[in-house]
Amino acid sequence: MIDETAEEIAEMRTHSSSAVAVKAARALEDLLDDEFPTVEEYVRTLERNSSALRRANPSHASLVTTQHEIVAAVEDADAESVAAAKERTREAIGAVVERVETGKHEAAENVAEELADGMTLLTHDYSTTVLEAIETAAEGGAYLDVYVTEGRPRYMGRRTARRLAEIDRVSATLIVDGAAGHYMSAVDEVLLGMDCIVDDHLYNRVGTYPLAAVADDGDVPVVVAGSSAKLVDEGGFRFENDYRISTEVLLEPPEGFEVENPAYDATPIRLLDRVVTDAGVRQL
């Protein structure tokens, strides 16, 4: 399962960064069923597998930091037996999963409280926190119109639109990424998820930066939502962009030109109005 999870993360088959962190943490539970001659061998194997999961997508802050946390918890425990080391691993995984999932749900609830009946939103890509916030607000009686950008080249926004279409009181409209400026005058708020915020930049799916810039030009507030685990300082994490294969953009081989396909971009937080997490609302 660990190898399969690493491959899934690398291929971005799991879209939400919170879901990636949880899936990776739970993948380490595979080691709890294996036999190891010594504690040292177990810890080395744990670190090796955790490193493989981190390398699958080093741009995911919550993935990297939670994996480090699990390994550090086991190493610091200085267990006297393999069984004790495994139990510490189980506890660390449980703590990480609970914190990430609880943080995501609480952030969504905090966002939902700010969504008023009749609002028109615009969102980008795919965020489970954003989806949960919209669904929670709709369940509370709010009618919402939501524009969803496609999120090219992987078109993750299409999945968002399909999910929104299943929610009562929500009217979803899928638009191409380049049409965001055209519809911005009809939007009350741009609502985005986040991969992470490191110091003064939001790192999120590519296309976020121009979307935030257009919203800023039109005086449309930009709200970012996610678990507080995604707020990291530069000393503890260095963002590394992921450059995807060119065939996601162009199926046939390019002739006479290059194709670049970055997965994320960096948006200055000066373009954001609020960051909403489980810890509350941070005005910018």
Side-chain angles (χ1 to χ4, degrees):
M1 180 180 174
I2 292 175
D3 290 342
E4 293 174 359
T5 300
E7 181 181 354
E8 180 178 323
I9 292 170
E11 294 179 357
M12 295 173 66
R13 295 202 299 268
T14 299
H15 303 319
S16 164
S17 56
S18 295
V20 166
V22 169
K23 183 178 285 289
R26 287 179 169 152
L28 293 176
E29 291 177 339
D30 274 11
L31 300 177
L32 304 180
D33 296 326
D34 295 340
E35 299 294 330
F36 299 89
T38 64
V39 172
E40 291 74 20
E41 179 62 26
Y42 171 75
V43 173
R44 281 195 297 270
T45 303
L46 175 66
E47 166 56 33
R48 184 170 64 251
N49 281 275
S50 176
S51 179
L53 290 165
R54 298 194 303 270
R55 289 196 307 272
N57 196 326
S59 63
H60 273 318
S62 49
L63 165 65
V64 174
T65 56
T66 52
Q67 285 292 313
H68 277 307
E69 180 180 335
I70 292 168
V71 174
V74 177
E75 290 177 338
D76 293 346
D78 197 21
E80 296 182 356
S81 67
V82 173
K86 286 182 176 181
E87 182 57 30
R88 186 67 189 98
T89 304
R90 194 188 312 277
E91 293 170 353
I93 291 171
V96 159
V97 169
E98 181 178 4
R99 190 177 75 254
V100 171
E101 291 187 336
T102 299
K104 180 181 70 172
H105 295 320
E106 291 181 353
E109 290 176 358
N110 289 338
V111 172
E113 291 177 358
E114 298 189 331
L115 299 181
D117 182 36
M119 286 185 70
T120 297
L121 308 172
L122 190 152
T123 192
H124 178 59
D125 194 61
Y126 184 90
S127 165
T128 54
T129 305
V130 168
L131 284 168
E132 184 177 342
I134 292 173
E135 184 170 18
T136 300
E139 288 175 348
Y143 285 84
L144 302 170
D145 292 315
V146 186
Y147 288 105
V148 186
T149 55
E150 284 189 305
R152 294 181 175 180
R154 292 182 59 83
Y155 301 104
M156 295 179 190
R158 296 180 183 180
R159 184 182 178 192
T160 299
R162 292 188 183 103
R163 281 280 293 105
L164 290 173
E166 298 170 353
I167 303 173
D168 291 340
R169 301 189 185 90
V170 174
S171 176
T173 302
L174 184 69
I175 62 174
V176 297
D177 295 343
H182 176 76
Y183 290 99
M184 193 61 70
S185 61
V187 173
D188 296 309
E189 181 176 286
V190 174
L191 179 57
L192 304 170
M194 61 171 156
D195 188 75
C196 63
I197 292 179
V198 183
D199 293 334
D200 58 354
H201 281 88
L202 160 69
Y203 294 94
N204 199 46
R205 190 71 61 208
V206 70
T208 299
Y209 186 7
L211 185 60
V214 169
D216 181 67
D217 185 62
D219 291 325
V220 176
V222 178
V223 179
V224 175
S227 166
S228 58
K230 296 180 179 181
L231 307 181
V232 295
D233 60 73
E234 200 168 57
F237 173 76
R238 184 172 64 86
F239 184 86
E240 297 180 27
N241 208 338
D242 180 21
Y243 288 84
R244 310 289 302 167
I245 57 176
S246 62
T247 52
E248 289 182 348
V249 180
L250 191 68
L251 291 178
E252 63 270 19
E255 296 183 8
F257 60 92
E258 299 294 324
V259 175
E260 291 197 356
N261 183 19
Y264 305 94
D265 59 18
T267 301
I269 61 173
R270 60 179 170 78
L271 296 177
L272 311 179
D273 287 80
R274 301 189 302 282
V275 176
V276 183
T277 70
D278 47 301
V281 180
R282 174 184 169 193
Q283 299 285 345
L284 298 173

